[in-house]
Amino acid sequence: IATLTRFYPINFEAGVNNLIDAAIATPIKPDDVVQSIKDVGDMMPSETRDITVDDLGMFIRKSGRTTEHTTGYIDAVNVTTLVKYGLGEKATFVDQIVIEQVLAEEDISAGGDSGSAVLDRDGRLIGLLFAGSDRDEAAGQPATAIVNPIKHVFNLLDLEVIKPDA
């Protein structure tokens, strides 16, 4: 339904830091696309918000293709993490946000949720989900998701928020 129009390449070389795993697609038929986020809001976010250490514990929500509407909270910021990709490739990402599930029976994300917009309680866009881990009941570890801060996505893909008409 869309054509890839922009992306920022991931560098898989050891010792190289990445900021985003994101791309932009333009709808082939714009009338086939609804300007809303399923189960979250009727309109697309018109504001962004930078996340800092002061936001630890902040409530978030997202709607993904696989897990649909889920909620969580910010567990860590400024995170450096190694993400595994297919065929044994790994990439290091820096300055990431880690979110944790709220409900014990609900994973915050799953395969297919990549690219989900992550919003604060006021509907401001804080980032894009791109990776995650399953909960480990035996170890008592909740499911988590890794989020690219929206400031990096907008900067590296040369994007801006579309403000609603006044």
Side-chain angles (χ1 to χ4, degrees):
I1 71 163
T3 302
L4 178 67
T5 52
R6 234 177 303 170
F7 71 97
Y8 197 83
I10 299 169
N11 191 321
F12 294 97
E13 292 179 42
V16 176
N17 294 330
N18 294 279
L19 289 171
I20 66 170
D21 178 352
I24 299 296
T26 302
I28 295 168
K29 296 180 184 175
D31 291 341
D32 288 347
V33 179
V34 178
Q35 296 284 325
S36 68
I37 299 174
K38 186 176 186 263
D39 299 326
V40 172
D42 291 334
M43 294 301 296
M44 297 300 290
S46 61
E47 293 181 44
T48 63
R49 182 178 192 281
D50 289 341
I51 297 301
T52 69
V53 70
D54 293 333
D55 296 311
L56 291 174
M58 183 177 80
F59 174 83
I60 62 87
R61 56 196 172 143
K62 70 102 186 93
S63 182
R65 184 206 74 182
T66 305
T67 58
E68 298 183 346
H69 182 259
T70 57
T71 58
Y73 65 90
I74 296 178
D75 183 55
V77 297
N78 303 319
V79 172
T80 298
T81 186
L82 188 65
V83 176
K84 294 179 193 174
Y85 287 82
L87 303 173
E89 290 185 305
K90 299 174 187 172
T92 301
F93 288 83
V94 297
D95 195 23
Q96 301 301 295
I97 302 166
V98 174
I99 56 176
E100 197 169 288
Q101 70 189 48
V102 169
L103 303 174
E105 71 278 0
E106 173 183 87
D107 285 340
I108 190 72
S109 68
D113 284 342
S114 292
S116 298
V118 179
L119 309 170
D120 70 6
R121 74 173 59 244
D122 297 319
R124 293 175 293 196
L125 182 61
I126 66 167
L128 292 183
L129 187 148
F130 82 102
S133 66
D134 296 331
R135 71 176 157 232
D136 183 341
E137 291 180 32
Q141 297 292 323
T144 61
I146 303 172
V147 176
N148 298 147
I150 202 62
K151 66 182 177 187
H152 296 319
V153 175
F154 277 31
N155 180 44
L156 294 173
L157 291 176
D158 191 28
L159 302 173
E160 62 185 359
V161 174
I162 298 172
K163 300 284 185 181
D165 294 333

Coordinates of all heavy atoms in Angstrom, one line a residue, residues 36-42 61-64 67-70 119:
S36 N -5.1 8.2 11.9 CA -5.4 8.0 13.3 C -4.5 6.8 13.7 O -3.9 6.1 12.9 CB -6.8 7.7 13.6 OG -7.2 6.4 13.0
I37 N -4.5 6.6 15.0 CA -3.8 5.4 15.6 C -4.8 4.5 16.3 O -5.5 5.0 17.2 CB -2.7 5.9 16.6 CG1 -1.7 6.8 15.9 CG2 -2.0 4.7 17.2 CD1 -0.6 7.4 16.9
K38 N -4.9 3.3 15.8 CA -6.0 2.4 16.2 C -6.0 2.3 17.8 O -5.0 2.0 18.4 CB -5.8 1.0 15.6 CG -6.9 0.1 15.9 CD -6.6 -1.3 15.2 CE -7.8 -2.2 15.3 NZ -7.6 -3.2 16.4
D39 N -7.2 2.5 18.3 CA -7.4 2.3 19.8 C -6.7 3.4 20.6 O -6.6 3.3 21.9 CB -7.0 0.9 20.3 CG -7.8 -0.2 19.6 OD1 -9.0 0.1 19.3 OD2 -7.3 -1.2 19.4
V40 N -6.1 4.4 20.0 CA -5.3 5.4 20.8 C -5.9 6.8 20.5 O -6.1 7.5 21.5 CB -3.8 5.4 20.4 CG1 -3.1 6.6 21.1 CG2 -3.2 4.1 20.9
G41 N -6.2 7.1 19.3 CA -6.7 8.5 19.1 C -7.2 8.7 17.7 O -6.7 8.0 16.7
D42 N -8.1 9.6 17.5 CA -8.7 9.9 16.2 C -7.8 10.6 15.3 O -7.9 10.6 14.1 CB -10.0 10.7 16.3 CG -11.1 9.8 17.0 OD1 -11.1 8.6 16.9 OD2 -12.0 10.4 17.6
R61 N 1.7 4.6 26.0 CA 0.8 3.7 25.2 C 1.3 3.6 23.8 O 1.9 4.5 23.3 CB -0.6 4.1 25.4 CG -0.8 5.5 24.9 CD -2.2 6.0 25.4 NE -2.3 7.4 25.1 CZ -3.4 8.0 24.7 NH1 -4.5 7.3 24.6 NH2 -3.4 9.3 24.5
K62 N 0.9 2.5 23.1 CA 1.1 2.4 21.7 C 0.1 1.4 21.1 O -0.5 0.7 21.9 CB 2.6 1.9 21.5 CG 2.9 0.4 21.9 CD 2.9 -0.4 20.7 CE 3.0 -1.9 21.0 NZ 1.7 -2.6 21.1
S63 N 0.0 1.4 19.8 CA -0.8 0.5 19.1 C 0.0 -0.2 18.0 O 0.5 0.6 17.1 CB -2.1 1.2 18.6 OG -2.9 0.2 17.9
G64 N 0.2 -1.5 18.1 CA 1.0 -2.1 17.1 C 0.2 -3.1 16.2 O -0.9 -3.5 16.6
T67 N 0.4 -6.7 18.7 CA -0.2 -6.7 20.0 C -1.3 -5.7 20.2 O -1.9 -5.6 21.3 CB 0.9 -6.4 21.1 OG1 1.6 -5.2 20.8 CG2 2.0 -7.6 21.1
E68 N -1.5 -4.9 19.2 CA -2.5 -3.8 19.2 C -2.2 -2.8 20.3 O -1.1 -2.5 20.6 CB -3.9 -4.4 19.2 CG -4.2 -5.3 18.0 CD -5.6 -5.8 17.9 OE1 -6.3 -5.8 18.9 OE2 -5.9 -6.3 16.8
H69 N -3.3 -2.4 21.0 CA -3.1 -1.3 22.0 C -2.5 -1.9 23.3 O -3.1 -2.9 23.9 CB -4.4 -0.6 22.3 CG -4.3 0.4 23.4 ND1 -4.7 0.3 24.7 CD2 -3.8 1.7 23.2 CE1 -4.4 1.4 25.3 NE2 -3.9 2.3 24.5
T70 N -1.4 -1.5 23.7 CA -0.8 -1.9 25.0 C -0.3 -0.7 25.7 O -0.1 0.4 25.2 CB 0.4 -2.9 24.8 OG1 1.4 -2.3 24.0 CG2 -0.1 -4.2 24.2
L119 N 3.4 7.0 22.6 CA 2.8 8.2 23.0 C 2.8 8.3 24.6 O 2.7 7.3 25.3 CB 1.4 8.4 22.5 CG 1.1 8.1 21.1 CD1 -0.3 8.0 20.8 CD2 1.8 9.2 20.2

